[in-house]
Amino acid sequence: MTAHGWITDVLILLPLAGGLLVWLVPMPRVWIAPTALLIALFEIGFWVESLVRFDFDQGGLQESSRLSWLDDLGVSYHVGMFEGFTVWLVGLTVVVLAASIAYGLWSRRDRPRAYYGLMLFLTGAIVGVFTSQDLLLFYVFWEAMLIPLYVLIGVWGGPGRSGATIKFVIYTMVGSLLMLAAVIVYGLQAGTFSMIDGGTNASSWIFLGFAAAFIVKAPLFPFHGWLPDAYRESPAEVSAVLSGVVSKAAAFGFLRICFSLFPAGVHDFRTPILVLSATGLVYGSLLAFRAPDIRGVIAYSSLAQMGLIVLGLFATNNLGINGAVLQMVNHGLISAVLFMLAGAVERRTSTGRLDRLGGMARGRPALATVLMTIGVIALAVPGSSAFAGEFAILAGVFQQGWMYAVIGAVAIILAAAYVLRLISAVLHRAPGTAVTESALDLRPAELAIVVPLIGLLLFLSAWPAAITDRVIG
């Protein structure tokens, strides 16, 4: 093992061990959720330590740890922080998962031992995806990330959870199997599965195997069939993780694997992927504007935002990539807050349908303030972190073709329309049939979960260069 690699190991193994602790160690029921939350908060502490230790000027692979796994095939347990973007995405993961576990505690999820064990297991698996430096290990963590999601949606989801889980499984399994084939062929050709030692590969087919998995997971149009049902039927905090973090694993895959190992494939397929991204950006924005419920608006806006992020990545210049990484963090935090607010509204009204909501601003100042604040950031008003990210993406993709930048600008106008429609429908119209005078404002516990996430967005609004100057060394 290389020196200083312990921090990455801890970030992966602590939540995995915590999951086993919650599953296997006898403890009173009331201790289970607080124990899981305490482990998630320790995880944030270790991430802060890794942030302090990381040398952004040097870049490259740091905090690396390596242990031989299958010598004959050149497979190893090799993890580490590769470039600044890995640090930020691991940070996004541990923060959103801790907030989601806290939301589950507030919501008093039933079968807590299984629930919180799965959430901690999911945390470790996602961190493993972001820190793997071996393709087979990456694939193992990728599949390990999906397994708890299947169970969380299928057991704790809404009335349509069975159909949502089946769609999610079919789409993701097809993508995963294509990626597994690509991993095996690449590793046998290169003589190693290491992302560091393997070198580049000019095969279009291997590139497409990876790209297919990432396009489905992001998702990009037209491979988004699993998205609306999964986001609507999941528990609110699981939707927050799906939209806020898991979709970013796909964008990370493009950046870490496709760009590093398949530059020829990126060059050859850049235009088709840019076209898919631009189409999804407009299509998702239009569907978000037409969606009849809160979660539908957030789900389709996520489709649009992932299109925008992939546009920035496939601008293939520093401006677009820096903007895309900032926007990954922005969107991860924004969508997590929005899904948790959607859950809060659903708890008070038993519905998310916009035609049955309205008038919730009156007598509920905390809800109105939080929703307006996150709405203003999501609107990408000048001075917000979302504005900085979107501006950098559009400036970067303009260098690939002015038409992409025009489409992006139009979609941002559409985004303003659907965000304002959502805020108006929940807060300002005449009270709907589902809204009663007795519906409470946000409670202190709910504010304690969402306000820190908004605080991080306000910090990035004041200093977006904290991320954009520290993406690639």
Side-chain angles (χ1 to χ4, degrees):
M1 284 192 182
T2 55
H4 307 306
W6 65 270
I7 195 90
T8 310
D9 291 327
V10 168
L11 284 166
I12 296 169
L13 297 175
L14 174 65
L16 296 180
L20 289 173
L21 174 79
V22 166
W23 279 331
L24 302 176
V25 174
M27 66 177 80
R29 184 185 173 94
V30 293
W31 289 12
I32 294 169
T35 300
L37 180 57
L38 190 64
I39 292 165
L41 293 174
F42 270 115
E43 181 83 346
I44 293 176
F46 282 112
W47 173 74
V48 171
E49 172 68 12
S50 75
L51 178 65
V52 170
R53 293 158 65 110
F54 195 87
D55 183 351
F56 288 97
D57 294 328
Q58 175 190 331
L61 179 63
Q62 299 178 40
E63 304 300 340
S64 135
S65 169
R66 191 167 195 167
L67 202 61
S68 182
W69 192 9
L70 296 168
D71 274 339
D72 295 347
L73 291 172
V75 178
S76 60
Y77 167 83
H78 188 193
V79 295
M81 303 279 190
F82 184 83
E83 300 289 1
F85 60 82
T86 301
V87 180
W88 299 121
L89 290 172
V90 170
L92 173 68
T93 302
V94 299
V95 167
V96 170
L97 263 295
S100 298
I101 288 169
Y103 188 94
L105 167 61
W106 165 249
S107 302
R108 294 191 178 90
R109 294 290 174 211
D110 59 347
R111 284 169 282 197
R113 196 177 288 278
Y115 185 82
Y116 295 104
L118 287 167
M119 290 293 273
L120 288 168
F121 186 85
L122 180 58
T123 307
I126 299 173
V127 173
V129 166
F130 288 141
T131 55
S132 294
Q133 305 304 322
D134 181 281
L135 283 173
L136 209 56
L137 183 68
F138 176 88
Y139 180 78
V140 168
F141 279 125
W142 183 270
E143 288 299 298
M145 169 181 79
L146 298 175
I147 292 164
L149 288 169
Y150 300 149
V151 182
L152 287 165
I153 299 170
V155 175
W156 287 272
R161 61 185 181 271
S162 297
T165 308
I166 289 166
K167 274 190 194 173
F168 185 57
V169 168
I170 291 170
Y171 272 87
T172 50
M173 284 304 293
V174 170
S176 295
L177 289 171
L178 289 170
M179 180 163 73
L180 177 60
V183 167
I184 292 168
V185 175
Y186 173 87
L188 294 178
Q189 286 185 3
T192 179
F193 288 86
S194 170
M195 298 185 202
I196 304 297
D197 306 328
T200 60
N201 187 301
S203 168
S204 294
W205 291 109
I206 303 179
F207 168 80
L208 286 172
F210 283 104
F214 302 146
I215 285 170
V216 168
K217 178 53 52 214
L220 291 185
F221 173 88
F223 303 98
H224 64 284
W226 62 269
L227 174 138
D229 289 350
Y231 284 20
R232 280 190 173 112
E233 299 300 334
S234 300
E237 67 275 24
V238 175
S239 295
V241 174
L242 265 174
S243 173
V245 180
V246 173
S247 62
K248 308 308 175 291
F252 170 83
F254 278 126
L255 187 54
R256 176 68 187 96
I257 294 175
C258 295
F259 282 45
S260 298
L261 305 181
F262 306 99
V266 170
H267 179 269
D268 293 346
F269 291 95
R270 180 168 57 206
T271 300
I273 291 175
L274 285 171
V275 169
L276 283 184
S277 303
T279 307
L281 176 53
V282 175
Y283 179 74
S285 300
L286 290 170
L287 286 181
F289 184 68
R290 294 291 309 279
D293 59 322
I294 302 178
R295 290 212 203 188
V297 175
I298 309 168
Y300 286 119
S301 72
S302 295
L303 172 63
Q305 284 293 314
M306 288 312 298
L308 182 67
I309 287 165
V310 176
L311 264 185
L313 294 177
F314 278 81
T316 59
N317 53 43
N318 279 348
L319 197 54
I321 290 171
N322 290 346
V325 173
L326 174 58
Q327 197 59 13
M328 282 188 229
V329 177
N330 288 336
H331 178 251
L333 295 170
I334 289 168
S335 64
V337 171
L338 285 173
F339 271 116
M340 289 175 192
L341 290 178
V345 170
E346 289 163 2
R347 282 169 69 90
R348 286 157 173 79
T349 62
S350 301
T351 185
R353 289 193 60 85
L354 298 177
D355 57 1
R356 298 185 61 202
L357 298 172
M360 294 194 77
R362 193 176 301 113
R364 301 172 191 86
L367 174 63
T369 303
V370 168
L371 184 54
M372 287 291 290
T373 304
I374 198 69
V376 166
I377 296 171
L379 277 168
V381 297
S384 68
S385 56
F387 175 80
E390 291 178 6
F391 185 82
I393 288 171
L394 295 184
V397 83
F398 181 80
Q399 296 174 23
Q400 289 299 338
W402 61 269
M403 199 64 206
Y404 298 120
V406 170
I407 291 169
V410 168
I412 289 167
I413 295 168
L414 291 172
Y418 64 67
V419 171
L420 290 172
R421 173 175 172 259
L422 174 64
I423 291 171
S424 172
V426 174
L427 297 179
H428 300 310
R429 280 196 329 228
T433 54
V435 179
T436 63
E437 289 294 323
S438 60
L440 296 170
D441 198 2
L442 291 182
R443 311 316 294 152
E446 291 170 305
L447 289 170
I449 295 165
V450 297
V451 168
L453 302 183
I454 294 174
L456 290 172
L457 285 163
L458 293 175
F459 172 77
L460 288 175
S461 299
W463 190 30
I467 289 180
T468 55
D469 287 358
R470 295 170 174 81
V471 170
I472 296 173

